[in-house]
């Protein structure tokens, strides 16, 4: 039997392992942490029984993933839960744009821009299942659904600042720009609108669900499925050399898949990589970081806008123009006074995360790559952004657990400098992720492949980087 090892147990590593095991390979997954899952882990940090997602929190790409959706993960305990409002974007004047799977609810919050919102998103929603097949593969390829992808591709190529010109009033413009800011970078460059187009369409097409019991349920379901196929996950093993890898396994595997950042690949295989690959990985750029704060709050967040009190996810950043300016400053290495913030109220859809009247609030702010400024200042800036749209929020705080950019990197070595996407979403790195080539999963070393978020289609809990890398390995076998 062909033996394979996957280094790293994030959702891409586990997806790759499952696909190899489905094909009959003997698969071992090695994970440095004591708990498998990478970004899909959940912890009790402040109050016993209060569940906080460590990184990933809401999962539109997981529910849309062609590979993950093909697996019977429900049989291994995964239950998806949807909030009433998938995501919302409040403004200082009390208005807020919202997205739900019922586009009419969005219409009611964006007024005169509703018709143009439909013109942009409705055709994409109708063909979303076809779009994701192409969007979740290598950027350079022949589309399997050219008509559907032909509607999405040209819009994805545009800067987010161009796309927002479809709308005239602040609720619609900010609603789009808030989701576009998931790209972590400048929003006035080519392809900067691609993330916003994909995630915005997903909000209407499939929603932004959460995993019951926390994001760790995704990792547990994938691990359970892998073990049912004969695979093994071994935790607490940090791979630092090829010799150690073989020593830990007790054999030399025929197939190696690396759910690692390019810098870690250089450490392990740099001497074997072809020069062009080694140089590309040496030039790989990491993007802005996150400063994460988990709050324990008594009751709910007192959002000024009532719709925000029903939202699973909120984007905080004010107007579209403010978000563009703040994200540009963050990309330049400047810490904004009012950073763009992402808020998760997962407990609204999944009450099992709460402890009595105490609820977990998930939050992070975008900060410069490798941010080394005061952790207290960044935490205060994030808290102030929430208070800005929810006066009285501070009075609800029972406790906090903080991870700075450097602490996020310590939590997961793939988050270099605190970049949770394993690479900046510049136009070049969106198209050529992690290097120029038709197959981004090949490393030029027989039997060794890259399957992390540094490859196409990039960050997010979708498992497609892992699946695509595993398919490449199986074709070579």
């Amino acid at each position: 039997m062909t033996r394979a090892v996957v280094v790293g147990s994030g959702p891409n590593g586990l997806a790759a392992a499952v696909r190899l095991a489905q094909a009959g390979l003997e698969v071992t997954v090695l994970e440095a942490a004591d708990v498998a899952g990478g970004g899909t882990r959940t912890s009790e940090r402040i109050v016993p029984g209060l569940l906080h997602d460590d990184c990933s929190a809401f999962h539109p790409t997981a529910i849309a993933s062609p590979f993950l959706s093909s697996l019977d993960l429900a049989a291994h305990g995964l239950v998806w839960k949807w909030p009433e409002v998938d995501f919302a974007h409040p403004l200082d004047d009390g208005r807020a744009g919202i997205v739900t799977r019922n586009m009419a609810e969005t219409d009611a919050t964006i007024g005169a821009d509703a018709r143009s919102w439909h013109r942009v998103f409705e055709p994409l929603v109708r063909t979303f299942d076809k779009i994701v097949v192409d969007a979740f593969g290598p950027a350079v390829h022949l589309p399997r659904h050219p008509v559907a992808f032909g509607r999405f591709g040209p819009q994805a190529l545009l800067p987010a600042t161009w796309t927002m010109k479809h709308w005239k009033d602040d609720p619609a413009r900010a609603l789009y720009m808030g989701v576009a800011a998931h790209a972590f970078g400048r929003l006035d460059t080519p392809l900067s609108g691609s993330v916003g187009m994909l995630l915005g369409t997903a909000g209407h097409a499939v929603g932004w669900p959460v995993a019951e019991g926390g994001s760790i349920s995704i990792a547990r379901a994938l691990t359970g499925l892998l073990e049912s196929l004969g695979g093994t996950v071994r935790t607490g093993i940090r791979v630092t050399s090829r010799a150690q890898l073989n020593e830990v396994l007790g054999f030399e595997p025929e197939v190696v898949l690396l759910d690692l950042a390019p810098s870690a690949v250089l450490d392990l295989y740099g001497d074997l990589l072809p020069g062009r690959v080694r140089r590309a990985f040496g030039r790989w750029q990491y993007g802005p970081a996150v400063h994460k704060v988990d709050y324990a709050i008594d009751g709910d967040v007192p959002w000024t806008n009532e719709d925000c009190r029903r939202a699973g996810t909120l984007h905080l950043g004010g107007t579209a123009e403010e978000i563009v300016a703040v994200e540009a400053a963050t990309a330049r290495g400047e810490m904004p006074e009012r950073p763009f913030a992402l808020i998760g109220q997962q407990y609204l859809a999944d009450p099992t995360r709460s402890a009595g009247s105490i609820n977990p609030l998930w939050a992070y702010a975008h900060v410069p790559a490798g941010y080394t400024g005061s952790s207290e200042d960044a935490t205060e800036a994030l808290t102030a952004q929430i208070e800005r749209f929810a006066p009285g929020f501070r009075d609800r705080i029972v406790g906090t657990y903080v991870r700075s950019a450097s602490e996020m990197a310590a939590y997961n070595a793939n988050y270099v400098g605190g970049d949770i996407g394993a690479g900046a979403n510049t136009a070049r790195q969106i198209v050529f992720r992690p290097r120029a080539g038709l197959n981004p999963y090949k490393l030029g070393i027989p039997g060794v492949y890259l399957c992390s978020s540094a490859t196409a289609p990039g960050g997010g809990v979708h498992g497609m980087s892992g699946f695509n890398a595993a398919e490449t390995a199986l074709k070579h076998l």
Side-chain angles (χ1 to χ4, degrees):
M1 179 180 289
T2 302
R3 295 174 294 188
V5 64
V6 179
V7 180
S9 72
N12 282 313
L14 291 174
V18 167
R19 180 66 194 99
L20 294 178
Q22 286 177 328
L25 276 67
E26 179 184 311
V27 185
T28 301
V29 178
L30 301 179
E31 167 58 46
D34 293 331
V35 178
T40 54
R41 285 181 272 172
T42 304
S43 305
E44 295 180 27
R45 294 294 182 185
I46 306 168
V47 175
L50 198 68
L51 300 179
H52 300 274
D53 287 332
D54 289 343
C55 187
S56 76
F58 18 85
H59 301 101
T61 56
I63 201 74
S65 168
F67 182 58
L68 295 188
S69 62
S70 75
L71 306 174
D72 186 9
L73 296 179
H76 296 276
L78 181 58
V79 177
W80 293 114
K81 295 287 188 176
W82 282 262
E84 292 181 38
V85 172
D86 290 283
F87 63 87
H89 192 111
L91 295 166
D92 291 300
D93 62 9
R95 293 183 295 169
I98 69 170
V99 162
T100 74
R101 285 174 288 168
N102 180 354
M103 204 175 287
E105 292 190 59
T106 298
D107 295 348
T109 66
I110 59 176
D113 283 319
R115 181 175 295 179
S116 56
W117 188 273
H118 277 256
R119 280 200 300 268
V120 172
F121 284 105
E122 203 166 38
L124 305 181
V125 171
R126 285 198 303 267
T127 58
F128 186 65
D129 58 335
K130 295 181 174 65
I131 290 171
V132 294
V133 170
D134 287 306
F136 283 177
V140 181
H141 71 287
L142 291 175
R144 292 176 59 184
H145 301 284
V147 175
F149 196 66
R151 294 192 186 101
F152 173 78
Q155 295 187 73
L157 288 170
L158 296 175
T161 50
W162 288 23
T163 301
M164 79 176 187
K165 294 177 182 178
H166 285 288
W167 307 293
K168 304 302 181 185
D169 202 4
D170 285 337
R173 290 162 66 87
L175 183 61
Y176 167 73
M177 198 57 73
V179 72
H182 281 257
F184 279 86
R186 287 176 53 184
L187 296 168
D188 58 352
T189 57
L191 284 166
S192 60
S194 58
V195 173
M197 293 305 301
L198 183 67
L199 295 182
T201 303
H204 289 305
V206 296
W208 285 27
V210 303
E212 186 176 61
S215 295
I216 189 67
S217 299
I218 302 171
R220 287 173 178 161
L222 285 167
T223 299
L225 174 57
L226 175 62
E227 291 173 345
S228 74
L229 295 168
T232 304
V233 177
R234 298 172 62 183
T235 59
I237 300 173
R238 184 176 296 279
V239 177
T240 57
S241 69
R242 298 195 300 276
Q244 180 225 2
L245 175 63
N246 295 342
E247 182 179 342
V248 166
L249 293 171
F251 58 85
E252 185 172 352
E254 290 91 338
V255 176
V256 178
L257 269 70
L258 304 173
D259 187 6
L260 302 173
S263 57
V265 176
L266 287 173
D267 291 340
L268 285 177
Y269 284 92
D271 60 323
L272 296 183
L273 291 172
R276 66 186 186 284
V277 179
R278 186 168 57 251
R279 288 189 294 273
F281 282 19
R283 293 192 299 266
W284 183 250
Q285 297 179 357
Y286 295 92
V290 300
H291 178 88
K292 187 171 185 297
V293 180
D294 291 306
Y295 298 90
I297 60 173
D298 190 358
D300 299 315
V301 180
W303 302 107
T304 300
N305 183 278
E306 290 291 332
D307 284 330
C308 292
R309 302 184 184 192
R310 303 185 294 129
T313 306
L314 295 103
H315 303 125
L316 307 185
T319 64
E321 289 77 11
E322 182 181 347
I323 295 168
V324 171
V326 164
E327 289 296 272
T330 305
R332 289 194 303 268
E334 303 169 9
M335 179 64 194
E337 181 181 347
R338 287 177 160 181
F340 178 80
L342 196 63
I343 310 298
Q345 300 183 132
Q346 299 96 310
Y347 71 91
L348 294 178
D350 177 19
T352 67
R353 299 167 183 245
S354 300
S357 66
I358 308 301
N359 295 314
L361 189 74
W362 179 102
Y364 70 56
H366 289 185
V367 299
Y371 177 67
T372 57
S374 167
S375 181
E376 291 79 8
D377 289 348
T379 299
E380 170 56 28
L382 178 53
T383 302
Q385 272 289 59
I386 302 173
E387 182 81 15
R388 173 183 174 185
F389 302 103
F393 168 69
R394 293 179 190 275
D395 298 334
R396 307 287 178 95
I397 299 173
V398 174
T400 59
Y401 180 82
V402 177
R403 277 201 183 103
S404 65
S406 60
E407 288 166 334
M408 288 298 288
Y411 160 80
N412 188 329
N414 281 354
Y415 300 165
V416 177
D419 173 9
I420 62 174
N425 285 312
T426 61
R428 177 179 175 79
Q429 290 193 177
I430 290 175
V431 177
F432 300 118
R433 193 171 182 92
R435 61 184 180 85
L438 294 178
N439 191 316
Y441 316 103
K442 295 165 60 176
L443 291 174
I445 306 171
V448 183
Y449 307 90
L450 184 61
C451 70
S452 71
S453 294
T455 64
V461 178
H462 43 64
M464 291 304 296
S465 299
F467 170 77
N468 294 334
E471 287 288 280
T472 296
L474 292 173
K475 287 177 182 177
H476 288 178
L477 284 175

